[in-house]
Amino acid sequence: MSKPALKAAKTCLDSKDWTGAETQCRKVLSFDPQNYTAHLYLGLSLFNLENYEESEKAYRQAIDIEVDERQRKSRKENPASWQGLLKLYEAQKRIDEHMDATVQLARIFQDQDDRAKCQTIIEKTVELAKENGSKNQYKRALSILLPGSPVFDYLEGLIARPDQTYLKLAEIVEAEEKERINKEIANRRSRLGAVLGQVTTEVRREVWGASPLEGYYQNILNWSDDEELRRQIDCKLLRHGYEKLMVFPKENKLGQRVKVENWARGLVILKYPFELAWRIVIEWKDCESIGDHDVNVLREYIQFFPENGLAISLKAFLDSEISPFPKAPEGDKQGGVPSVSEGEQPDNNAEDAATPEQLLDDMIDGVEKCPTSIMCHRILGDYYLLLDEYENAVDTSRSGKKLVLAESQRTGLAFQKTQDALTVTLGTALIHYQAPKHHTEARSLFEIVLKHNPSYGGALVGLGLILEEQGDYSGAVELLHKALSKDPDNIRIVSEAAWCNVLQGNYNIGQQGLENCLEKIIGIDPRSRDLKAQILWRIGTCIWNSDEEARRDRKGPYHYFIAALQSNQNFAPAYTSLGCFYADIMSDNPRANKCFQRAFEISAGEVEAAERLARSFAESREWELVEIVARRVAEADKKRSVPGKGLSWPQSAIGVVELNNQNYNLAIQSFQSALRGSPKDFHSWVGLGEAYASAGRYTAALKVFERAAMLDETNWFAKYMLANVRRELGEFELACEGYREVLALREREFGVLVALSETLVAMAWKYIETGYYGRAVDSVVECMGVAEKVLEERSDAFNLWKTVGDACMLFSWVQNLAHRFPRTQVLRLVEGDFEASEFDIMADADEVGDIALQKMKDGEFDDVTTAVYTGILAYKRAIFATADDRHAHAVAWYNLGTAEYRVYVALKKREMKHRLAAIRCFKRTIKLEPGNHEFWNALGLATAELNPKIAQHSLVRALYINDKNARVWTNLGALYTIQENYVLANEAFSRAQSTDPEYALAWVGQGLIATIFGEAREAQELFQHAFEISDQSLTPAKKQFITATFDTLVKTKSEPALASILTPIFALEKLESQLSKIPAVLQLSALFDERVGDFNSACEKLERVCSIYEELYEETESDEDLIKFAQSKADLARMQLGLHRYSNAIENTSMALDLSGEMEQLQTSRLSAHLTAGLAHYYSHQMDESLEMFKSALTESEENPDVICLLSQVLWAKGGEEERDVARDQLFASVEANPEHLGSILLLGTIGVMDRSEDVTEAVLDDLRSFRAKAGLPRDVRERIDNLLTAIAQLSSDETGDVDATAIAASAVFMRPAATENWSRLASVAEDAFAAETALRVAQSAKDCDCERLSKAYAGIAKVGNDLRAIFLAPWMAEGWEALRGDVKA
């Protein structure tokens, strides 16, 4: 049945009847499921019917059947099924399956030895992957063509060469990695805290760490025979390996670096012009000297890359004097790569040799073109050292060391030898650069090198030179000999060792060594001539120092100095020595000066020549030339002076010049440089101190002047400057002591006397600010004594009269101490050596002139008025003293205006004449100096209420000149407040606060605005902040803070904590000292005293207040004074009640009530008087009178519940049943009318307990429990509620009363376990020892526990020791004593 169906299926396939073919094939398979041909035909039919899934299954089934048949019968595999699958995958673009099928089919064709078909399908799948697949699929397809593939050996020669395939793979991977790196960097750099450089390194490390490129490049090199391609791949391989090395972590760098070095060395050996390879070979070579490099490699690099920065530097190096290599033959310079054999010697006399300037320019150009090259910096640093350009050598060497460090981190190479070479170059340059400033650093650098290389010649020589400069010649010789052991033919080292012997005093040995060196110098090049000149000069110096008689011999030192100049006409030390010969031996000063000038022109570091020139110019008073010489010497990089002689004079001279030019920082630097050379130079220390003080660096100046005073204890000027600095630092006491010490040495020194007087006044103002008013007056009194001494010296000193005026005006701030004003002394001082009629200036306005002076002498004015009037007279004398100085004259008028305005403000009677005089003064000072904002501010302040427009113009003008002055902004805000423009006022105060947050009056102003708008809480906070940041001289801050605090306390229902009112009390104490005669201040102080229970002080103050108001009323008979008098009497009666002076209290309340009448303003005072009188009568056992007063109080208060409570207590105390019933009724009515009034509830509950009335206690019990549960109740209120609840339970007639009391006490503990009193109550009720111990522990650990609670807690423990502690803590508490009595009895 299957064969006919197969034939039919074949016929259908031939006729492309795919459906029929499918039907016939399925019929065959229904009879024979393992029919290979049927599955094959079915797969083909389904493929053409586009039923690809079923077609693939059919082909796969056919393949499996064919495999089984081949296992039974040995025959070759049929490719038909695989070919069908190949077409199927191609149609579906299934690249991976297509490649798998291709490899299987290629193996079948390989078995059949059909290379053509095998090649065709391989090439077809590669093309398909290229056109339709992804990059990964294309790479996989290409891998089929590579060695290791199943078909590579069979098709080798027919398919593409492996090197070409590897090249394609490398190009694909290169593009992929570049794209991935860019994408990852873009993604990661936007993360929080990401740093671009770090992100780039991490991404490259990840990508290149897994990169196959290195393998691809190696395989290309292994298979390719194209030399050009191989070189290109060598370059790519090196570049790729180098980039991987840059990003690899430190632990992975070694292996990668070895490969990179090998690849680079290979390219250099092949002389292939790839710049990176050559740079790696040159730059990575770690050598002690550049001479260790292969000169042929250097020259080849120059030939290949002539425009590169490194090539330019190398070429300049090879052509320079510092090159150890022979010059290239002329032919090699024109073309070809030069080579040098080891036996050749350098030819340094080429006719076309470049000049040093050209070589230096080339080296600098090389560094600029290649700024990351270590070699370029190393070459340039060495050449700078040769040219004695030490500053540039230092900078270049430091840059080179940084590059070495960075390259070491990138490559993992230590570069130890290169680092040492740069370190030695840097140290050598530092020896000579601004010597001896950097010797410490240079020494540390050399020591670092010698630690790991003790025989390093350059470091030994450098350290020896430092020791030579420091005078340690034996140490220098030792080090130089060590260097000679490594390089015995180095003439420079030999000559330095010999010179050290000379300096050490071993003249014969030193001279012999120098002469031996001289014989060995045979060259005529510039370096040899320089060395010869130096040795000849040193021989001459040796003879000069060793034999004074030989100095006159023309064949002695003079001969060698001349010979040195013949060898080198620009050898400056020889000119200096020759000048000394002419000056000291021949006394030929003109010729000597010419020699010194020549030496100084050649080298500004010739200190001896410069100093002699400077002295010569100073003798001829050519000070500008002295400054030029000193500055050039100080700025010289390398200085040479006579051994043992300091180098401080140039810097010290420059410091004085800069100090006079007000260049204080430069002056500081100059004096510091001078002191480094001469640490004990007294004048340099003083100059440095003056520079520090002028620059505002007073702490440093203080230390400097202390050091100067130690160096010369007899010098008064250092002590004087030290005192000045202390004054600037605010250490006025120490400053005054310093001035007194100076005056002990120079009693009549005018400047010191003036400084002492000014300091005493400044100290007095400091005491005013800090509240030490007595000390302030002491300072003023002493100041007047000093001022008398100043007057004896000069009477026209402006500072004297300003100081006297300031001292006198100080008493306006401490009026209660005005009796200590030295009236007689000051009047004598003011009128001394002066025409009294001159005081009449402005007398038509202020009436303070000659007549006022006479009245003061006669004692017609009080102390305060006398003090301020003498201050005005002193300021008037200052006006005459400043007639010749426009600025000082303006300041004098300003001071006078300020004093006039202060008099207007400070005196009890504000007389307008002083304010008008102040305005005239301020206008006068503005005419003299219109650009001073302080003058405009003062005018605005003085005219504020009189003419607001002028005041606003003046203040705005002041702000135009200086808008950063908080005082002006505050005054402008005050002006706007007076004019009721509160928005602008608030803005002005806010601007003042932002300008200077520490200016207290700005906060006071904003507090006033808050008060006006009814923001009492905010105003209180602002006033408190203003008081905290203000000094003690500002009365407005104190006044507003105290007033606001008292208003807050009055509105607070609970008893305030003592700590909250201590600060206002202290502030009031200071305010009383300043404003002792203002009754409002005294009355407010008395009210605060009442709050703390100080009734004695309160009574004393209120009696003074009553006297003041009584006197005022007798003078004015105004209702305002009468009202204040009645209020004061009511307050006084209350204080007397507190002192148990009941009769006095009754008397004063009666007077207050009689005076108050029906005045509405005194309603509160009448209520207070009624209550006070009621309590006074009550405590005097006058119950009827007490009741009458309380009834009147009840009427006055409109049945205030607090008054009802007081009335009920009096009724209850009277004892009659009728009165007690009335008390109960009043309280029930009060509770009904005021259910939230806790005092009525507590009093009613207490009466219920006393009466044992269950009805009453039950009536209040629920209210007490509800109050107890409320949040925010004060601690003392809660305690009263808990005590009453416990008492109700204890006095209950029920048998379970004790249990209920314990339960209530326990519930209180549960609600507030941190309250000591709850545990104490529980211990008392339950008689529980644990509760008593817990109460003590809670009290000891509580931060807010007072001594009374702690005392009660100790008393609750039944131990004598605890009882004694309780008594010690609060001896006025009965609990401790009672507990002690019980424990002693027990």
Side-chain angles (χ1 to χ4, degrees), residues 1068-1184:
L1068 263 171
E1069 183 181 348
K1070 297 300 181 183
L1071 190 60
E1072 287 176 51
S1073 301
Q1074 294 179 274
L1075 307 171
S1076 60
K1077 295 185 179 180
I1078 296 180
V1081 175
L1082 292 172
Q1083 189 171 7
L1084 188 59
S1085 178
L1087 295 176
F1088 270 105
D1089 289 340
E1090 178 188 14
R1091 293 277 173 170
V1092 296
D1094 188 2
F1095 297 113
N1096 283 317
S1097 177
C1099 280
E1100 180 185 346
K1101 292 172 183 175
L1102 285 171
E1103 286 172 355
R1104 289 167 56 192
V1105 171
C1106 290
S1107 299
I1108 293 172
Y1109 282 132
E1110 187 175 3
E1111 292 175 3
L1112 289 174
Y1113 181 73
E1114 289 175 356
E1115 292 178 8
T1116 62
E1117 294 187 359
S1118 66
D1119 290 343
E1120 183 180 354
D1121 292 333
L1122 180 61
I1123 290 170
K1124 291 180 179 177
F1125 178 70
Q1127 290 173 340
S1128 303
K1129 279 293 183 181
D1131 291 340
L1132 177 59
R1134 196 169 59 252
M1135 306 306 158
Q1136 290 169 338
L1137 178 66
L1139 291 173
H1140 309 299
R1141 301 174 185 172
Y1142 304 125
S1143 59
N1144 294 336
I1146 293 170
E1147 179 183 349
N1148 284 310
T1149 54
S1150 299
M1151 181 178 291
L1153 291 171
D1154 292 340
L1155 293 173
S1156 62
E1158 298 298 326
M1159 292 184 183
E1160 261 186 55
Q1161 302 97 318
L1162 293 173
Q1163 184 178 359
T1164 305
S1165 296
R1166 281 199 302 272
L1167 176 60
S1168 174
H1170 279 119
L1171 291 173
T1172 303
L1175 290 171
H1177 284 301
Y1178 169 74
Y1179 288 117
S1180 299
H1181 306 291
Q1182 300 170 2
M1183 297 302 173
D1184 293 333

Side-chain angles (χ1 to χ4, degrees), residues 552 562 724 1193:
R552 294 184 174 275
I562 294 296
N724 285 343

Side-chain angles (χ1 to χ4, degrees), residues 235-304:
C235 295
K236 283 190 174 184
L237 178 61
L238 177 60
R239 172 72 66 184
H240 180 71
Y242 179 79
E243 289 176 345
K244 286 172 67 175
L245 176 63
M246 294 299 104
V247 299
F248 270 14
K250 184 177 181 180
E251 59 272 11
N252 298 340
K253 286 185 182 291
L254 178 59
Q256 185 68 20
R257 187 179 67 245
V258 171
K259 292 192 289 186
V260 170
E261 284 184 299
N262 290 334
W263 295 334
R265 197 172 293 109
L267 284 170
V268 170
I269 291 172
L270 294 173
K271 298 184 180 179
Y272 187 76
F274 183 54
E275 202 264 343
L276 177 62
W278 291 82
R279 280 198 62 184
I280 289 173
V281 170
I282 295 173
E283 296 277 7
W284 287 12
K285 184 176 178 62
D286 190 25
C287 52
E288 187 173 312
S289 168
I290 302 177
D292 296 338
H293 280 269
D294 186 347
V295 67
N296 294 319
V297 171
L298 302 182
R299 287 176 175 156
E300 288 165 0
Y301 179 81
I302 296 170
Q303 180 188 13
F304 285 134

